[in-house]
């Protein structure tokens, strides 16, 4: 019998692997609905949906390997990173989905959430005030008007699979929808700044890319994630992870 492996689990959702099948259990059925719809619309390789029932989605494993992981070394080549950039551009150029996604939160709401979170990080003693203040300043660049694109919304490096210089699958679409394209690019390169140029080479030089906005999203995403990660059993202080990303902006 195939072994059951817990890929990730917390109070909101869990993902289990049984052989070549992934079972995604989500307390919010709407996220499963978003994921299935986004995968059907995205013009990039996505996992095959095997079946779905209330609160559970079964999908097939995709071939290939990831380019690395947050907090770990990159295992992919420059060509692999560029291929990922080209796939992301193809997604961003696709017709817009009907729903707003994680990358499509309003600037006003996001700024308010960020200010509240920064205050909590300092008052709880989780991060030093100077680190929070500096990164809040850097994050300001991301809080600007943007043109909607078809975004993945949670494009972590672990969600993109490649085989050589070909993208074989992009997984975990529950946060997909209309949003800021640079949010996806920043999420994908978080903690791997050394490969940003490779990604942008594949993405295309004709795109409107503002590096300060990508840096802003690195700071903003990390500031919003630190406390949640710590409270849900993850370690944002691990080498190369969110706190190190914040320290790199000092």
């Amino acid at each position: 019998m195939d072994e059951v492996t817990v890929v990730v689990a917390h109070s909101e959702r869990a993902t289990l692997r049984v052989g070549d099948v992934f079972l995604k259990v989500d307390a919010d059925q709407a996220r499963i609905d978003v994921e299935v719809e986004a995968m059907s619309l995205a013009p990039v390789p996505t996992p095959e949906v095997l079946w779905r029932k209330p609160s559970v989605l079964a999908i097939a494993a995709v071939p290939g390997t990831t380019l690395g992981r947050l907090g770990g070394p990159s295992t992919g080549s420059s060509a692999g990173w560029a291929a990922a950039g080209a796939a992301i551009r193809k997604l961003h150029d696709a017709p817009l989905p009907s729903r707003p996604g994680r990358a499509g939160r309003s600037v006003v709401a996001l700024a308010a959430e960020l200010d509240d979170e920064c205050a909590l990080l300092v008052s709880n003693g989780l991060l030093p005030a100077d680190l929070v203040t500096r990164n809040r300043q850097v994050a300001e660049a991301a809080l600007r008007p943007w043109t909607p694109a078809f975004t993945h919304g949670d494009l972590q490096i672990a969600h993109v699979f490649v085989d050589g210089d070909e993208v074989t699958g992009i997984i975990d679409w529950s946060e997909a929808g209309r949003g800021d394209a640079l949010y996806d690019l920043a999420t994908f390169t978080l903690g791997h700044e050394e490969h940003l140029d490779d990604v942008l080479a594949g993405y295309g030089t004709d795109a409107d890319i503002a590096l300060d906005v990508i840096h802003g999203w690195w700071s903003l995403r990390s500031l919003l994630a630190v406390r949640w990660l710590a409270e849900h059993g993850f370690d944002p202080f691990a080498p190369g992870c969110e706190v190190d990303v914040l320290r790199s902006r000092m």
Side-chain angles (χ1 to χ4, degrees):
M1 179 179 290
D2 288 317
E3 183 178 279
V4 176
T5 303
V6 178
V7 178
V8 64
H10 49 78
S11 60
E12 296 178 0
R13 67 188 80 167
T15 300
L16 310 176
R17 179 169 187 169
V18 186
D20 288 333
V21 177
F22 286 86
L23 298 176
K24 304 189 71 173
V25 184
D26 201 314
D28 184 353
Q29 177 64 33
R31 280 194 291 253
I32 292 179
D33 295 339
V34 169
E35 181 153 14
V36 172
E37 180 182 4
M39 288 192 294
S40 71
L41 296 173
V44 294
T46 61
E48 177 189 359
V49 175
L50 301 176
W51 53 263
R52 59 184 296 203
K53 294 183 178 181
S55 301
V56 183
L57 173 66
I59 59 176
V62 298
T65 59
T66 65
L67 290 167
R69 62 179 177 83
L70 182 62
S74 166
T75 55
S77 65
S78 293
W81 284 87
I88 296 169
R89 178 64 182 275
K90 188 174 183 180
L91 174 67
H92 291 168
D93 286 345
L96 292 176
S98 60
R99 314 171 191 246
R102 180 74 173 172
R105 289 169 290 173
S106 79
V107 170
V108 173
L110 198 56
E113 180 185 357
L114 181 60
D115 287 341
D116 290 344
E117 192 62 32
C118 287
L120 286 170
L121 289 170
V122 175
S123 63
N124 291 348
L126 200 56
L127 293 177
D130 61 339
L131 183 64
V132 172
T133 298
R134 170 56 183 157
N135 277 276
R136 177 61 184 85
Q137 293 169 346
V138 175
E140 190 67 28
L143 301 174
R144 88 284 177 224
W146 40 267
T147 301
F150 188 158
T151 54
H152 180 282
D154 190 22
L155 201 62
Q156 303 175 43
I157 185 177
H159 292 165
V160 179
F161 287 74
V162 299
D163 183 4
D165 59 357
E166 179 184 357
V167 173
T168 54
I170 299 177
I171 65 172
D172 285 2
W173 292 81
S174 62
E175 308 286 356
R178 301 189 309 273
D180 179 3
L182 296 192
Y183 179 90
D184 272 355
L185 290 172
T187 301
F188 184 64
T189 54
L190 185 75
H192 289 281
E193 185 171 355
E194 72 279 8
H195 286 292
L196 178 58
D197 286 346
D198 295 328
V199 173
L200 295 182
Y203 193 81
T205 56
D206 60 316
D208 184 14
I209 301 295
L211 293 181
D212 64 325
V213 175
I214 291 178
H215 298 164
W217 276 123
W218 285 341
S219 290
L220 196 156
R221 181 180 170 94
S222 297
L223 286 168
L224 292 183
V226 167
R227 191 170 58 90
W228 186 95
L229 290 168
E231 292 176 353
H232 286 79
F234 302 99
D235 186 7
F237 291 87
C241 292
E242 285 79 4
V243 175
D244 273 356
V245 170
L246 295 173
R247 289 171 177 153
S248 71
R249 298 298 108 195
M250 297 296 286

